């Protein structure tokens, strides 16, 4: 049986009482896939976590040689069974040392399946809840233009 709610959950590989209760409830009625609202779900990756992302890279010479590289990144948000991560343009691949170049008009955000993401040792970044950007990068300036007006007014006294 497939439990789609358990994708990306800390408890997915071990014992989970909520999953066992649901399994006992639907036993014998022929259900093969199930999605429910689980109050105990805990995501494996939180926004700001330091990770390695396996994604496509291009050789900098421009001859369009494509390779799969493992780049250091930061988790921005979870979208279903995928993660949106930020890879700083120009940061080098862990194995081959080739710099990351985003696609045309890209800014370094990539959406990848969780299977291609692994945790790494690193400093946890602060991610803005309004614009989903890393707050230390240029363009955020300590406050968010996407914040609700009441929050922006509160910040005006500090800057």
């Amino acid at each position: 049986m497939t439990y789609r709610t358990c994708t990306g959950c800390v408890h997915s590989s071990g014992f989970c009482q909520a999953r066992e209760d649901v399994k006992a409830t639907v036993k014998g009625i022929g259900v093969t896939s199930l999605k429910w609202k689980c109050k105990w779900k805990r995501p494996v990756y939180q926004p700001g976590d330091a990770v390695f992302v396996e994604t496509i890279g291009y050789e900098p010479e421009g001859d369009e040689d494509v390779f799969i590289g493992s780049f250091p990144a930061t988790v921005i948000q979870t979208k279903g069974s995928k993660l949106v991560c930020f890879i700083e343009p120009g940061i080098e691949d862990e194995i081959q040392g080739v710099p990351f170049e985003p696609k045309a008009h890209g800014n370094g955000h990539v959406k990848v399946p969780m299977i291609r993401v692994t945790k790494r040792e690193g400093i946890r970044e602060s991610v803005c809840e309004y614009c989903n950007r890393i707050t230390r990068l240029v363009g955020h300036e300590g406050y968010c233009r996407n914040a609700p007006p009441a929050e922006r007014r509160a910040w005006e006294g500090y800057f």
Side-chain angles (χ1 to χ4, degrees):
M1 183 164 186
T2 305
Y3 298 97
R4 296 187 315 165
T5 305
C6 299
T7 303
C9 180
V10 173
H11 305 294
S12 65
S13 61
F15 177 79
C16 176
Q17 185 61 47
R19 185 174 52 231
E20 294 299 320
D21 292 345
V22 169
K23 183 191 266 186
T25 304
V26 299
K27 186 176 182 180
I29 60 174
V31 175
T32 58
S33 181
L34 189 63
K35 185 175 181 181
W36 78 96
K37 186 168 181 147
C38 181
K39 64 181 180 179
W40 303 108
K41 182 173 181 171
R42 301 292 178 260
V44 175
Y45 301 105
Q46 299 290 331
D49 283 351
V51 295
F52 283 115
V53 174
E54 288 182 14
T55 189
I56 295 174
Y58 300 96
E59 292 291 338
E61 289 83 35
D63 56 0
E64 297 300 321
D65 286 341
V66 178
F67 69 97
I68 300 295
S70 181
F71 296 97
T74 302
V75 175
I76 299 298
Q77 70 182 116
T78 304
K79 288 199 168 212
S81 63
K82 296 185 179 184
L83 293 174
V84 176
C85 297
F86 176 74
I87 304 173
E88 288 190 50
I91 200 159
E92 292 186 352
D93 173 37
E94 180 188 44
I95 300 166
Q96 299 174 1
V98 177
F100 176 75
E101 295 296 328
K103 289 183 178 179
H105 307 296
N107 58 3
H109 287 87
V110 293
K111 187 175 180 182
V112 293
M114 287 188 194
I115 192 116
R116 293 183 7 206
V117 177
T118 55
K119 285 197 182 256
R120 72 176 168 94
E121 294 294 321
I123 298 171
R124 184 175 175 80
E125 296 279 358
S126 175
V127 177
C128 178
E129 64 184 283
Y130 302 112
C131 65
N132 292 327
R133 297 171 91 187
I134 298 174
T135 56
R136 71 167 171 81
L137 296 177
V138 175
H140 203 274
E141 287 89 23
Y143 70 96
C144 183
R145 292 179 179 87
N146 295 343
E151 295 243 355
R152 277 187 276 160
R153 281 194 291 275
W155 284 327
E156 287 174 0
Y158 295 111
F159 300 106

